C-alpha cells in the first residue's frame, strides 16, 4: 500500500499539487504536518526532486524537530539534505555565510530581550534622552514594529512628519542600529530584516538561494509578518513553487506583528494560486468541534470552512460559573485531582499570565504536580545569563554587553569608575570594550585596577584558546569557566538554598551543552549559543512528566490535551476590555480566534469556567459571562450558572451535586487525595523523585533521620495553622504525614516540604 493512500482526498490533493503557488487552509487538527511531510516525500520519491532543492520553514524549534523526524522516517535516502528549520534559524544560516556583504563579521552575536534593554539604556544615555520619557521597552517595541514592516530609521523619520516624539524615536532607532553594528550584533528582528536586505540588494546571493530552494513550504503561514512575507517572496521569486499551510482562524499573534492579510490575500499576492481546504479533524469529538465552529463563524474577516470529524459526538461542552475567582480555581484543581486522568493529559488555559497565581496556589495546596508554561524562562535567570555572557565573550570579543555583564562577576575589585574610564577610552579610540580592556595599561589613571583587568583578559584568552584548539568539550569549557572564574565558589559560599538552586540551574545548562554536543555532527560554541538564543518556552515541555499544564491560550497554540479547562470566560477578561473598547473591529475578532484555538486544544472533554467576581489591579470587579460562551448553542452545552442576583449574593446558593467539588465531605481518616492511597502515591512520583511542583528545577529533598513529632502530637503549619498528626508513613525518600488541621481540614504532605513544628 502506498503511503499516499492513507491520506484523505483533500490531503492527497495538497500533496500531489507540487507546481506553482498553493494555499492549504488547514483547520485545527486536520493533519497539516502530515501533508507537509508527505509532500516532501512525494517530491523526492515520485517527482525526482533533489532533497537539496527543498525548504520547509516553521516557527518553533519543536515544530521543526517534529517535521524533521517525520521526514526522516518517510524518506529513505537524502532526507538530511532537506532544509527544515524555523524562520530565524534559516536566516541565521544564510547570514553566517553571507553577512559580510552587509559589513558584519560572520561571528555576530544574537541579542535577546535583556541584551536589547541594556543596549537601549546606553543609547538613551548617549543621546542624553530622559529614560522616564522614553522607556526602554516601549521604544524597543516601536523599533520592533518598524522592523516587522521593513522600515529603516530614515523611513521611520520620514513617516513621523512633524510629530516630535516619533522623530526622536526614529533618532533612537538609528543610534540603536549603529550600536548593534558596532558590537557586531543582531537582535531577533534583524535576523529577518538583514536576510531580506541581503537578498534584495545582492542578486548573486538571491540567485543562489532561488536555485537552491526550488520548492518551498511554509507552515503556520497565518503567523507571518510583512518582513517574513517578503523573505518568502524573494526566495520563491524565480520558480513560484511555494506551498503555504495555515489557518486564518488561528491567527492570534497580531501583537507580535503577525499580519492576517498575508493568508487572506494570498491569491492576490501570488496570481494563479490554488486553494485547498483541510476540514476533517482527527483530534477532537463532534460536540467540541461544533462549539468551535459556532463561535468562529461570528468573525467576518475569515475564509469559510467548517471542521468535522469521524470521532463521534463525545461529551457535551461543560460550562460552570462561580461566584469568586478563587472558587473557580479551587473547583478546577479539585476536579483534576478527582478525575482519575493522568495529569499530563490535563491542561488549564487562561487569557492572561496573572490568572495563573490562583491555580498555582491550589495545585500546591492539593499537592498536584504542575508545569507553568510562560513563566520565568530558564535562560532569563541571572546565573544562566552570567555564564552565557562568559561564553559570548569567548566566542565574540566585540560583544560589549556580554563583557560589561561579567567584568566584575564575580567581584574582582573592578569598580564602576574604572569601567567608565575603560568605556571612555574605547569610545575615543573606536575599540570594542574587550579590546579596550586588553589595553588596560594604556588607560589613564587606572592604577592597580589595570592589573586586575589584565587578569580577566588573560582568563578569557585562555578559555578562548582552549575552545578554538579543541582542547576541551563545551561541557568542560563551562565547568572550567565556573571554577576558574570563581563563580561556583561564590555561590557555594552563600551557603543557602538560593545559592544551591542557582548551581543546580547551571548544572542543567551543562546538561543542555552535553546534549547539544551529543546530537550535533560538528558542535561549536557559536552554534550552541544560537540554539540557546532561539529556544522558546513551549519547546521545553517534556511529555514524559506527569504534571498538569498551566498556560496562557497564546502558549497553547499547537498543543493538544485529552482534558482542557478554559477558565476566566468573562467579558472584559476574555474578550479583553481593551479589545471590546477598541475602535479596531478586528480586536474582538482576534480574541474570538484565540477562543477558537483554546476550544480546539481539547481532544475528549472541554470545560469552560467563569467567575462573577474577580480581583483585578487590586479591585473587585463584576463580570457577565463571555460572549463567546453565549455563542455556543444550548444543545451543545451542559451548563451550571449562578442565578442573577444582587452583588451581595452568597456563593453558597450555587450548588450542583454532580460536580466533585460539591460532593459530601469525606469522613475523618479518609484520604482526600483521590480514589485511594495508591492513586495518590503513584501521582506524586515527581515529588518523591525530588522535583517540587511548579518549579522547573530539581528540588533537593533531604530525609530526616527522625521526626520531632509523632502520631497524636499537635503541630503547626505556616499556612494551615494548628492540627493533630493522624498518620506517618515512611515513603522511602521522605515521610508522608497526614494531619487533621483545626481549620483547613485533613491534609497529606511530605515532611520535607511541610516543615511542621511540634507544639
Amino acid at each position: 500500500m502506498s503511503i499516499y493512500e492513507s491520506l484523505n482526498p483533500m490531503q492527497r490533493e495538497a500533496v500531489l499539487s507540487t507546481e506553482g503557488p498553493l494555499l492549504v487552509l488547514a483547520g485545527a487538527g486536520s493533519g497539516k504536518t502530515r501533508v507537509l511531510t508527505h509532500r516532501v516525500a512525494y517530491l523526492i520519491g515520485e517527482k525526482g526532486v533533489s532533497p537539496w532543492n527543498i525548504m520547509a520553514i516553521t516557527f518553533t524549534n519543536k515544530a521543526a524537530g517534529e517535521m524533521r523526524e517525520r521526514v526522516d522516517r518517510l524518506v529513505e535516502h537524502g532526507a538530511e539534505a532537506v532544509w527544515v528549520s524555523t524562520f530565524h534559524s534559516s536566516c541565521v544560516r544564510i547570514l553566517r555565510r553571507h553577512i559580510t556583504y552587509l559589513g558584519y563579521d560572520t561571528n555576530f552575536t544574537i541579542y535577546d530581550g535583556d541584551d536589547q534593554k541594556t543596549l537601549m539604556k546606553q543609547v538613551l544615555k548617549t543621546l542624553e534622552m530622559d529614560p522616564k520619557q522614553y522607556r526602554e521597552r516601549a521604544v524597543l517595541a516601536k523599533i520592533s514594529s518598524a522592523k516587522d514592516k521593513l522600515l529603516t530609521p530614515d523611513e521611520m523619520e520620514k513617516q513621523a512628519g512633524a510629530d516630535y516624539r516619533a522623530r526622536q524615536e526614529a533618532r533612537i532607532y538609528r543610534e540603536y542600529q549603529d550600536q548593534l553594528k558596532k558590537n557586531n550584533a543582531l537582535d531577533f528582528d534583524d535576523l529577518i530584516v538583514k536576510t531580506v536586505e541581503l537578498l534584495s540588494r545582492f542578486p548573486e546571493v538571491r540567485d543562489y538561494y532561488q536555485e537552491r530552494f526550488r520548492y518551498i513550504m511554509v507552515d503556520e503561514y497565518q503567523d507571518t509578518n510583512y518582513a517574513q512575507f517578503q523573505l518568502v517572496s524573494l526566495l520563491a521569486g524565480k520558480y513560484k513553487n511555494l506551498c503555504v499551510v495555515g489557518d486564518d482562524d488561528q491567527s492570534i499573534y497580531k501583537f507580535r506583528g503577525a499580519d492576517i492579510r498575508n493568508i487572506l490575500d494570498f491569491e492576490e499576492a501570488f496570481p494563479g494560486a490554488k486553494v485547498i481546504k483541510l476540514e476533517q479533524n482527527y483530534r477532537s469529538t463532534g460536540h467540541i468541534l461544533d462549539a468551535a465552529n459556532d463561535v468562529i463563524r461570528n468573525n467576518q474577516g475569515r475564509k469559510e470552512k467548517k471542521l468535522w470529524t469521524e470521532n463521534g459526538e463525545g461529551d457535551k461542552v461543560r460550562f460552570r460559573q462561580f461566584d469568586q475567582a478563587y472558587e473557580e480555581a479551587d473547583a478546577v484543581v479539585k476536579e483534576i485531582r478527582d478525575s482519575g486522568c493522568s495529569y499530563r493529559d490535563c491542561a488549564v488555559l487562561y487569557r492572561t499570565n496573572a490568572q495563573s497565581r490562583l491555580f498555582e496556589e491550589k495545585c500546591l495546596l492539593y499537592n498536584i504536580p504542575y508545569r507553568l508554561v510562560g513563566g520565568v524562562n530558564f535562560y532569563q535567570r541571572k546565573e544562566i545569563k552570567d555564564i552565557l555572557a562568559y561564553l559570548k565573550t569567548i566566542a565574540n570579543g566585540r560583544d560589549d554587553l556580554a563583557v560589561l555583564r561579567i567584568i566584575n562577576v564575580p567581584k574582582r575589585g573592578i569598580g564602576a569608575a574604572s569601567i567608565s574610564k575603560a568605556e571612555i577610552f574605547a569610545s575615543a579610540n573606536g575599540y570594542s570594550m574587550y579590546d579596550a580592556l586588553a589595553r588596560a595599561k594604556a588607560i589613564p589613571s587606572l592604577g592597580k585596577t589595570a592589573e586586575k583587568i589584565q587578569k580577566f583578559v588573560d582568563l578569557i584568552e585562555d578559555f578562548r584558546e582552549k575552545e578554538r584548539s579543541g582542547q576541551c568539550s563545551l561541557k568542560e569549557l563551562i565547568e572550567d569557566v565556573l571554577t576558574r572564574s570563581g563563580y561556583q565558589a561564590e555561590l557555594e559560599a552563600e551557603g543557602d538554598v538560593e545559592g544551591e538552586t542557582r548551581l543546580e540551574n547551571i548544572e542543567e545548562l551543562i546538561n543542555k551543552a552535553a546534549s547539544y554536543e551529543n546530537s550535533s555532527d560538528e558542535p561549536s560554541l557559536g552554534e550552541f549559543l544560537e540554539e540557546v538564543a532561539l529556544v522558546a518556552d513551549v519547546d521545553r515541555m517534556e511529555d514524559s512528566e506527569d504534571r498538569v499544564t498551566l498556560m496562557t491560550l497564546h502558549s497553547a497554540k499547537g498543543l493538544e490535551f485529552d482534558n482542557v479547562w478554559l477558565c476566566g470566560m468573562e467579558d472584559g477578561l476574555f474578550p479583553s476590555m481593551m479589545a471590546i473598547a477598541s475602535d479596531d473591529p478586528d480586536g474582538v475578532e482576534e480574541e474570538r480566534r484565540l477562543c477558537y484555538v483554546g476550544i480546539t486544544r481539547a481532544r475528549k472533554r472541554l470545560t469552560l469556567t467563569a467567575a462573577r467576581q474577580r480581583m483585578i489591579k487590586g479591585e473587585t470587579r463584576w463580570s457577565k459571562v463571555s460572549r463567546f460562551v453565549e455563542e455556543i448553542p444550548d444543545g451543545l452545552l451542559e451548563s451550571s450558572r449562578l442565578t442573577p442576583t444582587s452583588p451581595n449574593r452568597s456563593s453558597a446558593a450555587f450548588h450542583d451535586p454532580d460536580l466533585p467539588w460539591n460532593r459530601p465531605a469525606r469522613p475523618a481518616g479518609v484520604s482526600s487525595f483521590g480514589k485511594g492511597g495508591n492513586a495518590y502515591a503513584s501521582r506524586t512520583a515527581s515529588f518523591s523523585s525530588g522535583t517540587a511542583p511548579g518549579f522547573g528545577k530539581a528540588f533537593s529533598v533531604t530525609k530526616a533521620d527522625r521526626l520531632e513529632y509523632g502520631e497524636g502530637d499537635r503541630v503547626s503549619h505556616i499556612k494551615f495553622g494548628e492540627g493533630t498528626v493522624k498518620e506517618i508513613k515512611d515513603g522511602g525518600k521522605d515521610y508522608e504525614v497526614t494531619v487533621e488541621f483545626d481549620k483547613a481540614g485533613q491534609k497529606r504532605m511530605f515532611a520535607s516540604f511541610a516543615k511542621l513544628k511540634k507544639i
Side-chain angles (χ1 to χ4, degrees):
M1 174 179 163
S2 167
I3 61 172
Y4 310 108
E5 292 179 18
S6 64
L7 303 170
N8 69 41
M10 301 312 293
Q11 290 176 331
R12 192 178 306 115
E13 183 180 356
V15 167
L16 303 184
S17 301
T18 60
E19 308 305 309
L22 172 66
L23 169 60
V24 179
L25 289 172
S30 61
K32 63 182 178 63
T33 305
R34 182 179 177 83
V35 167
L36 285 169
T37 52
H38 278 71
R39 202 168 188 273
V40 172
Y42 182 77
L43 285 169
I44 297 172
E46 306 298 329
K47 298 285 289 186
V49 176
S50 168
W52 174 264
N53 295 134
I54 301 173
M55 180 186 208
I57 313 176
T58 187
F59 275 83
T60 68
N61 293 312
K62 182 178 181 181
E66 290 175 354
M67 192 181 299
R68 164 60 67 190
E69 289 177 8
R70 294 202 201 182
V71 168
D72 290 346
R73 288 198 298 266
L74 286 173
V75 179
E76 293 184 2
H77 303 290
E80 68 281 355
V82 178
W83 190 311
V84 181
S85 67
T86 65
F87 269 100
H88 290 95
S89 294
S90 295
C91 290
V92 168
R93 290 176 66 179
I94 292 172
L95 292 173
R96 286 292 180 204
R97 182 169 181 176
H98 301 286
I99 200 171
T100 51
Y101 281 81
L102 301 177
Y104 291 78
D105 291 343
T106 55
N107 66 337
F108 59 84
T109 297
I110 302 170
Y111 276 9
D112 64 12
D114 282 354
D115 293 331
Q116 289 178 267
K117 282 188 280 187
T118 302
L119 181 60
M120 182 55 67
K121 288 179 182 178
Q122 294 180 5
V123 167
L124 294 175
K125 184 177 180 181
T126 299
L127 297 177
E128 298 181 342
M129 290 188 175
D130 185 355
K132 295 181 180 179
Q133 293 293 321
Y134 297 92
R135 302 282 184 181
E136 292 97 357
R137 291 181 62 178
V139 178
L140 285 169
K142 288 286 182 68
I143 292 173
S144 178
S145 179
K147 290 182 178 182
D148 286 346
K149 300 178 180 68
L150 295 178
L151 293 176
T152 65
D154 290 343
E155 290 167 335
M156 186 177 176
E157 185 175 27
K158 186 176 180 180
Q159 286 190 5
D163 186 330
Y164 175 78
R165 182 177 181 86
R167 292 180 66 85
Q168 289 295 87
E169 288 169 344
R171 183 180 168 215
I172 294 170
Y173 181 10
R174 184 178 294 106
E175 178 66 20
Y176 173 76
Q177 289 303 115
D178 289 345
Q179 290 296 323
L180 278 173
K181 190 165 187 179
K182 173 180 173 291
N183 289 348
N184 195 40
L186 303 177
D187 62 21
F188 265 74
D189 295 316
D190 280 334
L191 297 178
I192 309 292
V193 172
K194 294 301 179 184
T195 305
V196 171
E197 181 183 351
L198 183 68
L199 297 175
S200 300
R201 288 178 52 192
F202 300 97
E204 63 273 30
V205 179
R206 181 173 66 250
D207 291 344
Y208 171 81
Y209 284 104
Q210 286 180 345
E211 285 294 332
R212 167 79 189 270
F213 303 126
R214 299 190 180 195
Y215 292 86
I216 299 174
M217 282 161 278
V218 183
D219 192 15
E220 304 287 5
Y221 189 67
Q222 77 280 348
D223 294 334
T224 54
N225 58 33
Y226 178 72
Q228 290 162 336
F229 164 77
Q230 287 295 333
L231 173 66
V232 170
S233 299
L234 285 165
L235 291 172
K238 184 172 183 178
Y239 290 100
K240 312 292 186 186
N241 296 325
L242 172 64
C243 170
V244 301
V245 181
D247 182 6
D248 52 301
D249 289 335
Q250 296 187 72
S251 179
I252 60 173
Y253 296 122
K254 184 179 180 180
F255 69 97
R256 293 183 188 169
D259 187 351
I260 194 173
R261 304 310 310 180
N262 287 348
I263 192 167
L264 294 180
D265 298 340
F266 183 80
E267 297 99 310
E268 294 179 22
F270 299 93
K274 184 175 183 178
V275 180
I276 298 173
K277 297 180 182 180
L278 304 182
E279 297 172 295
Q280 182 176 358
N281 177 283
Y282 293 90
R283 174 190 301 159
S284 306
T285 59
H287 281 316
I288 291 172
L289 295 181
D290 288 343
N293 287 329
D294 283 317
V295 170
I296 201 62
R297 69 161 52 110
N298 291 279
N299 272 7
Q300 300 298 314
R302 65 184 293 262
K303 291 179 177 289
E304 183 60 36
K305 71 185 79 68
K306 184 176 181 180
L307 297 180
W308 61 276
T309 185
E310 295 179 346
N311 293 341
E313 288 187 340
D315 296 340
K316 286 186 176 182
V317 175
R318 300 190 312 153
F319 174 66
R320 302 290 184 256
Q321 187 182 25
F322 302 89
D323 196 44
Q324 304 276 356
Y326 71 83
E327 292 176 351
E328 175 193 40
D330 189 71
V332 168
V333 174
K334 280 183 178 177
E335 184 173 17
I336 292 172
R337 181 195 69 185
D338 295 338
S339 67
C341 301
S342 295
Y343 289 146
R344 68 166 63 89
D345 295 329
C346 299
V348 178
L349 310 181
Y350 35 79
R351 178 63 182 85
T352 67
N353 274 309
Q355 290 171 257
S356 72
R357 179 181 66 85
L358 287 173
F359 294 102
E360 288 187 78
E361 289 180 356
K362 296 301 179 182
C363 283
L364 291 169
L365 177 65
Y366 297 117
N367 284 337
I368 305 295
Y370 71 93
R371 176 178 294 280
L372 178 67
V373 177
V376 178
N377 189 298
F378 176 82
Y379 296 103
Q380 299 303 314
R381 296 170 182 170
K382 179 185 182 301
E383 61 274 12
I384 301 302
K385 290 187 72 67
D386 288 344
I387 301 305
L388 290 176
Y390 271 99
L391 298 181
K392 288 178 181 179
T393 302
I394 294 166
N396 174 19
R398 291 176 57 187
D399 187 347
D400 288 356
L401 296 187
V403 174
L404 287 169
R405 184 179 184 94
I406 61 171
I407 179 64
N408 202 38
V409 176
K411 295 188 182 303
R412 299 182 172 89
I414 304 172
S418 298
I419 294 172
S420 179
K421 291 174 184 177
E423 285 183 282
I424 294 170
F425 179 76
S427 179
N429 292 278
Y431 295 142
S432 69
M433 186 63 183
Y434 184 79
D435 288 339
L437 295 175
R439 296 168 173 81
K441 293 180 179 178
I443 300 175
S445 67
L446 274 184
K448 293 183 178 180
T449 305
E451 296 178 8
K452 299 174 182 177
I453 291 175
Q454 188 60 51
K455 288 182 180 179
F456 168 76
V457 172
D458 291 343
L459 183 66
I460 296 298
E461 287 300 316
D462 193 16
F463 291 145
R464 186 174 290 177
E465 177 59 27
K466 286 187 175 181
E467 190 272 328
R468 289 177 178 172
S469 64
Q471 295 179 33
C472 63
S473 66
L474 183 54
K475 171 182 176 293
E476 291 167 339
L477 177 64
I478 298 174
E479 291 172 339
D480 204 16
V481 168
L482 269 176
T483 54
R484 295 185 59 199
S485 69
Y487 200 97
Q488 180 172 338
E490 185 175 76
L491 289 180
E492 289 174 343
E494 291 180 8
D496 57 14
V497 174
E498 185 176 353
E500 181 182 345
T501 300
R502 288 182 177 178
L503 281 172
E504 289 171 350
N505 290 336
I506 295 172
E507 288 170 4
E508 186 57 32
L509 180 66
I510 294 173
N511 292 340
K512 165 72 177 176
S515 175
Y516 157 75
E517 289 185 304
N518 291 336
S519 63
S520 177
D521 293 331
E522 296 182 10
S524 70
L525 175 57
E527 190 179 65
F528 172 72
L529 290 171
E530 288 170 15
E531 184 169 309
V532 166
L534 296 171
V535 166
D537 272 351
V538 73
D539 294 334
R540 296 185 287 108
M541 286 193 64
E542 296 180 17
D543 295 334
S544 61
E545 294 189 15
D546 191 24
R547 293 168 176 249
V548 175
T549 298
L550 308 181
M551 58 168 38
T552 64
L553 284 155
H554 283 100
S555 298
K557 177 75 161 49
L559 304 176
E560 56 186 69
F561 304 87
D562 281 354
N563 311 286
V564 169
W565 284 261
L566 186 47
C567 304
M569 299 297 295
E570 305 135 29
D571 262 15
L573 181 59
F574 192 35
S576 69
M577 189 59 68
M578 183 180 297
I580 294 172
S582 173
D583 293 333
D584 183 2
D586 190 52
V588 172
E589 293 214 348
E590 176 143 345
E591 293 281 292
R592 187 175 282 109
R593 292 193 291 269
L594 190 57
C595 182
Y596 174 85
V597 166
I599 292 172
T600 54
R601 298 312 93 195
R603 296 191 194 104
K604 298 178 180 178
R605 284 173 292 278
L606 172 66
T607 303
L608 311 176
T609 66
R612 295 172 72 228
Q613 302 177 64
R614 189 175 298 274
M615 186 73 73
I616 299 176
K617 295 182 179 179
E619 298 178 354
T620 299
R621 297 186 184 178
W622 292 78
S623 301
K624 64 179 182 179
V625 174
S626 170
R627 65 194 66 192
F628 302 148
V629 175
E630 305 293 359
E631 289 168 357
I632 301 175
D634 290 341
L636 298 176
L637 279 178
E638 176 196 318
S639 180
S640 292
R641 303 184 183 224
L642 295 172
T643 55
T645 57
S646 69
N648 294 323
R649 175 190 179 281
S650 169
S651 62
F654 172 54
H655 184 81
D656 182 346
D658 291 330
L659 296 179
W661 51 86
N662 281 327
R663 292 171 187 156
R666 294 177 177 84
V670 177
S671 169
S672 62
F673 290 89
K675 301 176 181 178
N678 290 337
Y680 172 72
S682 66
R683 285 188 171 174
T684 54
S686 60
F687 284 47
S688 60
S689 63
T691 305
F695 296 87
K697 60 180 178 61
F699 201 102
S700 297
V701 175
T702 303
K703 180 182 176 182
D705 294 332
R706 57 181 295 276
L707 298 177
E708 66 176 22
Y709 49 83
E711 294 181 1
D713 286 343
R714 295 283 292 172
V715 293
S716 66
H717 184 275
I718 190 170
K719 183 172 183 178
F720 303 132
E722 296 182 359
T724 302
V725 178
K726 294 295 184 183
E727 184 181 31
I728 299 176
K729 288 184 178 180
D730 190 337
K733 292 189 177 181
D734 201 357
Y735 295 103
E736 297 176 13
V737 184
T738 301
V739 180
E740 186 70 31
F741 289 101
D742 298 344
K743 295 181 179 180
Q746 186 169 282
K747 306 292 178 186
R748 189 174 177 184
M749 59 198 75
F750 287 117
S752 296
F753 291 110
K755 300 187 184 303
L756 298 169
K757 300 294 184 183
K758 184 177 179 180
I759 300 174

